[in-house]
Amino acid sequence: MKKLQAFAAAALTLCTAAALAHGNEGHAAARTYDAAKVQDTAFGREGDPAKATRTIRVDMADTMRFTPANITVKRGETVRLVATNKGQVLHEMVLGTADELQKHAELMKKFPGMEHDEPHMAHVKPGKSGEIVWQFTQAGDFQFACLIPGHFEAGMVGKVTVSADDAAAPQSDGEVRKVDKAQGKLTLRHGPLKQFDMPAMTMVFRVADPKMLDGLKDGDKVKFTAEKVNGAFTVTAIQPAR
Ligand SMILES: [Cu+2]
């Protein structure tokens, strides 16, 4: 027990020093991205702000809730998570696996003064916003939570669903061979589709939305994005080639 207390005291001293070093505005300031320091985790890695394709805003409230509490991203996508504290007390957003967050929360209970500062977390003072730039590299279900003692236990947890559709499906060239509106199908003569490791050929695709077929006719040259949706080759975006 003595040993544990000594560790707790040391941890608190370190944390106080860290808090002072960060100053009052501290964590709200953007981190400096350094590709050489990025580490892979089970839930992704620190993202390059220059590659963020989307900003997702999440509000944090003293009711111990995140709004929205569910966010969805695609595998490989780099997003800017902006957490705004609408409450009167400190909140934080920490990304992780359900397991890791649970363990981290236990640790926070043991050492209440502990203040971590890692790329997958933002500590946000009342009325302020914090930011995490993150690339989700693994498909699956993950979480974000406020690990301030009592908050996590009160249910301040949200869910991140990372879909297995790769974010950056490349655009390909094609030429329309047949439009089948009744079946929601489109036959395209297409160039190589790197995402499937497929050479150029003519084949039938499903379309994500039958409306995408409006205005298309045989012989049209197009730029399109193909992805596998529920196992079927599907055109998820299409536009006339110019
Ligand atoms: Cu909180």
Side-chain angles (χ1 to χ4, degrees), residues 59-67 69 84-91 146 150-157:
D59 287 346
M60 313 186 305
D62 292 346
T63 49
M64 305 303 162
R65 289 294 177 268
F66 289 104
T67 312
T84 300
N85 187 344
K86 301 270 188 187
Q88 308 292 319
V89 301
L90 184 73
H91 291 291
C146 177
H151 296 205
F152 181 72
E153 291 76 7
M156 198 160 179
V157 183

